[in-house]
Amino acid sequence: MTDRDTRKFSRLVVDGAERSPNRAMLRAVGFTDEDFRRPQVGIASTWSRVTPCNLHIDGLAEAACWGVREAGGRDVLFNTITVSDGISMGSPGMRYSLVSREVIADSIETVAGAQGFDGLVAIGGCDKNMPGCVMALARLDRPAVFVYGGTIRPGAGRRDIVSVFEAVGRHAKGDLDDAGLAEIERTAIPGAGSCGGMYTANTMASAIEALGMSLPNSSAQEAVSDAKREDCRQAGAAVVRLLERGITPARILTREAFENAITAVIALGGSTNAVLHLLAIAHAARVPLELDDFTRIGRRVPVLADLKPSGKYLMSELVAIGGITPLMRMLLERGLLHGDCLTVTGRTLAENLAETGRYPAGQDIVRGFDDPIKPESHLVVLYGNLAPTGAVAKISGKEGLAFTGRACVFESEESCLQAILDGGIAPGSVIVIRYEGPKGGPGMREMLSPTAAIMGRGLGDSVALITDGRFSGGSHGFVVGHVTPEAAVGGPLALVEDGDTITIDAGKRELRLQLDEAVIEARRRAWKPPPLEVPPGVLAKYRRLVGSASEGAVTDG
């Protein structure tokens, strides 16, 4: 491969006498004569002090820069935004969470496109900046590696952020006093890194590795560790090798790669957000993927990892026994992964996993196929007269497979949360939170505060919750989100009234309002869209552009 091949984009910016002004600008940021002859690799950092998930990423980005230089490339470091789901959770600010995924993807695409980077390393540490990064890499289709910022270490008593949310419910019930709540608050989050269970961050990191876009075990390292810094250095070098071989995301992000990602998410018991984000990444990669693919794959893939929120263990404990690569080897040997998929190592998935060891004897974090947590997927796509175009349930099996109850309807997350904390939810209720979808919110907020309060209140086995919003990876219980069409566009969820009977049946994969169609049709004719006011700006733009959650809630058509 020639020098001009590895500098496919940067040469258009820096080569020739007419580009002297361009080079002058780059000299001011540290370029030398030799640098202009090297391929340029953009390092997209999501560092900020907004959240512990991204607090350390400045150091990781510098390690990636060193890796690029050592391999003969020229690094160019730049930043994009992040917002914190955990900090904005339960507040109006959470409306910006899913919006940030689009802003991140757009911003990385914009910088790389404008600057003429030949390749990219993108480093994400929190829920939305990971899919946002990979969406941008897919759109740009230049040699690239994604790096996960890493998981947080456990807090005192193996606590994490969900421990704090659930403590709020216990406090409201009277089972925890002010001092106890304050002690949990002060000790649950010990430092930098992403939330510690198989919540959305660790789920998406694992999915991206299974897609082939991260180096092996990048998804299973602690944030503050020598292993994570070395992962970043190797990622920088890997992009230069990808440039030399002409390997771009289009060769990696195939239909089979997405099937591998879905398989890994199911085996790990991952977040419902993976459905939304994998659909969006596939859209960016121009790969056909739909809700029913999760059902098809889910019928043959068991849940094997006993990880929080519904299980016992934290991600750092999985890291300690070898991470996710031994699990992926198990899945490959079982015939559940496509081993011939290309990865960012330049080798196939099977070739990468051939070097992987097995879990130590006696561990019970990851079970064998003869003793799964659940014999098929916990991610259950439901249809029915309440979800004509689909909804996504997270059914671990511990809460049963079916629930029928009386609707208790709320027009917002805040009003629902207050009712739960005040003791206003009776056992046997199906809580309905509507007008929280991509357009209705706008922004499709996560319902971790209500679901955690339900658990803290001791109602986890006696109520269900359905919404056109979505759930944090930390949510558990009998919960159904992503109900489509959403209420704001006249979806059936808008027609539910207090006291209606609703059935959720994971076995039949059905979400049904138990009313005659004539009654539903009469309500539909009488329904008027509520006044969903939003100030001018990014939320208004998002509401105009965003599509259905059943298609990934993307904004680029």
Side-chain angles (χ1 to χ4, degrees), residues 382-389 483-485 490-496 501-503 509-517 520 524:
L382 307 174
Y383 293 96
N385 65 359
L386 266 181
T389 55
V483 176
T484 60
L493 204 64
L495 311 179
V496 180
T501 299
I502 294 173
T503 295
R509 302 181 185 274
E510 188 173 65
L511 179 61
R512 181 159 295 279
L513 178 61
Q514 302 290 0
L515 287 177
D516 290 340
E517 185 57 37
I520 296 173
R524 183 176 288 112

Side-chain angles (χ1 to χ4, degrees), residues 17-64:
E18 70 277 15
R19 297 292 181 243
S20 183
N22 312 47
R23 294 193 296 274
M25 294 285 284
L26 288 168
R27 290 183 191 281
V29 298
F31 270 60
T32 65
D33 287 345
E34 180 61 27
D35 289 333
F36 295 121
R37 293 187 286 273
R38 302 177 187 272
Q40 290 186 32
V41 177
I43 310 295
S45 168
T46 56
W47 171 80
S48 79
R49 292 178 179 168
V50 166
T51 169
C53 308
N54 297 64
L55 184 63
H56 61 304
I57 286 179
D58 54 341
L60 299 184
E62 289 293 346

Side-chain angles (χ1 to χ4, degrees), residues 326-338:
L327 172 60
M328 291 177 66
R329 179 172 176 173
M330 290 168 56
L331 294 167
L332 179 67
E333 291 173 347
R334 191 77 169 190
L336 296 174
L337 292 177
H338 301 284

Side-chain angles (χ1 to χ4, degrees), residues 218-527:
S218 179
S219 66
Q221 295 164 335
E222 290 187 336
V224 182
S225 67
D226 291 340
K228 180 48 66 182
R229 290 187 64 84
E230 178 62 16
D231 180 41
C232 292
R233 189 188 69 80
Q234 289 185 10
V239 172
V240 177
R241 292 194 296 271
L242 292 172
L243 279 162
E244 291 167 352
R245 295 182 60 181
I247 297 174
T248 71
R251 292 180 59 187
I252 296 171
L253 294 174
T254 61
R255 166 83 175 187
E256 291 74 19
F258 281 95
E259 293 186 350
N260 286 346
I262 294 169
T263 297
V265 167
I266 293 169
L268 289 163
S271 167
T272 54
N273 278 318
V275 178
L276 194 75
H277 296 325
L278 286 172
L279 289 170
I281 295 168
H283 172 82
R286 299 178 179 84
V287 171
L289 194 71
E290 57 187 26
L291 282 176
D292 291 344
D293 291 315
F294 290 82
T295 298
R296 175 178 55 81
I297 294 168
R299 291 187 189 279
R300 59 188 178 85
V301 178
V303 179
L304 299 176
D306 193 9
L307 297 169
K308 288 178 177 284
S310 56
K312 293 189 295 186
Y313 294 101
L314 291 162
M315 188 67 180
S316 60
E317 293 166 313
L318 180 63
V319 170
I321 63 166
I324 76 161
T325 51
L327 172 60
M328 291 177 66
R329 179 172 176 173
M330 290 168 56
L331 294 167
L332 179 67
E333 291 173 347
R334 191 77 169 190
L336 296 174
L337 292 177
H338 301 284
D340 56 351
C341 287
L342 187 64
T343 75
V344 292
T345 64
R347 298 180 298 174
T348 66
L349 181 69
E351 288 170 333
N352 290 342
L353 293 176
E355 301 173 359
T356 295
R358 301 185 187 275
Y359 290 122
Q363 65 82 28
D364 64 345
I365 300 174
V366 178
R367 296 189 185 181
F369 290 100
D370 58 344
D371 183 32
I373 303 291
K374 192 169 183 281
E376 58 181 47
S377 181
H378 63 301
L379 300 176
V380 181
V381 177
L382 307 174
Y383 293 96
N385 65 359
L386 266 181
T389 55
V392 180
K394 186 178 185 181
I395 308 293
S396 71
K398 296 179 180 179
E399 57 283 288
L401 296 177
F403 191 100
T404 297
R406 298 288 183 179
C408 189
V409 182
F410 298 93
E411 311 298 308
S412 71
E413 176 189 1
E414 287 87 350
S415 58
C416 175
L417 177 61
Q418 195 59 55
I420 297 168
L421 295 178
D422 290 344
I425 302 297
S429 298
V430 176
I431 299 168
V432 176
I433 306 177
R434 62 190 178 195
Y435 300 112
E436 291 286 5
K439 288 184 180 292
M444 203 179 181
R445 291 191 290 180
E446 292 180 346
M447 303 293 129
L448 178 57
S449 293
T451 59
I454 286 168
M455 290 296 172
R457 269 279 182 182
L459 295 168
D461 59 355
S462 60
V463 303
L465 191 155
I466 66 175
T467 180
D468 51 8
R470 58 196 173 92
F471 294 106
S472 162
S475 292
H476 57 122
F478 218 111
V479 297
V480 182
H482 308 202
V483 176
T484 60
E486 62 174 291
V489 300
L493 204 64
L495 311 179
V496 180
E497 296 180 1
D498 285 332
D500 288 346
T501 299
I502 294 173
T503 295
I504 307 162
D505 192 323
K508 294 181 179 178
R509 302 181 185 274
E510 188 173 65
L511 179 61
R512 181 159 295 279
L513 178 61
Q514 302 290 0
L515 287 177
D516 290 340
E517 185 57 37
V519 176
I520 296 173
E521 185 56 35
R523 289 184 185 180
R524 183 176 288 112
R525 288 194 301 268
W527 178 78

Side-chain angles (χ1 to χ4, degrees), residues 172-183:
K173 188 181 179 183
D175 290 348
L176 186 68
D177 62 15
D178 291 349
L181 179 61
E183 194 268 337

Side-chain angles (χ1 to χ4, degrees), residues 176-238:
L176 186 68
D177 62 15
D178 291 349
L181 179 61
E183 194 268 337
I184 292 172
E185 173 190 324
R186 292 189 180 103
T187 61
I189 312 295
S194 297
C195 299
M198 189 48 65
Y199 311 143
T200 302
N202 283 314
T203 297
M204 287 312 302
S206 302
I208 293 166
E209 181 176 329
L211 276 173
M213 287 300 296
S214 295
L215 296 176
N217 250 351
S218 179
S219 66
Q221 295 164 335
E222 290 187 336
V224 182
S225 67
D226 291 340
K228 180 48 66 182
R229 290 187 64 84
E230 178 62 16
D231 180 41
C232 292
R233 189 188 69 80
Q234 289 185 10

Side-chain angles (χ1 to χ4, degrees), residues 59-79:
L60 299 184
E62 289 293 346
C65 290
W66 277 110
V68 171
R69 288 175 218 161
E70 290 169 349
R74 182 53 164 94
D75 57 293
V76 183
L77 177 61
F78 68 100
N79 265 79

